[in-house]
Amino acid sequence: MDVIDWRLYLVTSGDGPATVRAAAAAAAAGAGVVQVRAKHLLAGELLDLVLDVASAVADSAPGTRVLVNDRADVAHAARRRGAPVHGVHLGQADLPVAEARALLGADALVGLTAGTLEHVREAEARTGAHRPDYLGSGPLRPTPTKDVGRPPVGLAGYPLRAAATQLPVVAIGDVTLADVAPLSRTGIAGVAVVREVMGAADPGAAAAACLS
């Protein structure tokens, strides 16, 4: 697998043309990964959104990876249609990593949420097809976009997570521009942002600021 730039990982919100434009603009500005997340959509609706985002991102930044949140079946359907969709991000209660790989193919990028230090250590111990390609860990602080039911990690929690695994760790959970620099010094691979980019008047400029 080619080298992935984890520094800025965009998680989308919304489901209309503005979502597609924001994803493409963030990718053009340097976001290495775009995860399409729209938990309120039915599978067919999510597939349409994933196809639109993947096409727009590929046009603006062919090197950016496009992932689907939770739904390995939707990622599989998109890939079967030839869309530039690279994999899936799974929660702890979603399809197991090995099953997602079996569905999507050995070249797929499969991420896993590891919100606790125990989850990080458990993922690090996995081997072969059961081992994820990266970990999303959070929340940094409580966030209105997703109630994960876990206490926040806080800035001080990330060095422990980074040290506990050789897998890339991406911080998530109400990450703002002001958090990017201090988080980058904790040993993690990158940060995932939602509102900082998706809610910006100029998503491309907001993404670029996170990378500056």
Side-chain angles (χ1 to χ4, degrees):
M1 186 178 292
D2 295 334
V3 174
I4 298 172
D5 185 350
W6 298 105
R7 292 176 301 153
L8 183 63
Y9 180 128
L10 176 67
V11 180
T12 68
S13 62
D15 57 18
T19 295
V20 177
R21 291 193 298 269
V33 181
V34 172
Q35 179 196 129
V36 183
R37 186 170 79 186
K39 292 179 178 292
H40 62 290
L41 296 183
L42 298 174
E45 296 168 334
L46 178 59
L47 176 59
D48 288 341
L49 176 61
V50 167
L51 293 172
D52 288 345
V53 169
S55 176
V57 167
D59 286 345
S60 62
T64 296
R65 304 319 201 274
V66 176
L67 307 179
V68 180
N69 176 256
D70 293 348
R71 299 296 299 266
D73 58 335
V74 173
H76 175 60
R79 284 162 68 89
R80 278 179 54 86
R81 293 195 184 191
V85 171
H86 303 86
V88 65
H89 181 86
L90 302 169
Q92 288 286 323
D94 292 326
L95 200 65
V97 170
E99 299 303 328
R101 288 200 192 285
L103 181 63
L104 297 176
D107 66 324
L109 182 63
V110 180
L112 180 67
T113 294
T116 68
L117 187 55
E118 291 72 20
H119 285 158
V120 173
R121 289 170 174 159
E122 190 272 336
E124 174 61 22
R126 297 185 187 187
T127 59
H130 299 275
R131 186 175 174 86
D133 294 301
Y134 74 93
L135 302 176
S137 193
L140 169 64
R141 62 174 63 89
T143 169
T145 60
K146 185 178 181 183
D147 181 8
V148 297
R150 293 189 301 272
V153 174
L155 186 64
Y158 283 103
L160 297 173
R161 286 159 171 73
T165 182
Q166 295 299 308
L167 296 166
V169 175
V170 177
I172 191 169
D174 200 31
V175 176
T176 68
L177 176 59
D179 299 314
V180 173
L183 281 168
S184 72
R185 295 190 287 269
T186 65
I188 63 170
V191 299
V193 298
V194 186
R195 290 181 299 154
E196 187 70 24
V197 169
M198 297 303 298
D202 186 338
C210 290
L211 288 162
S212 64

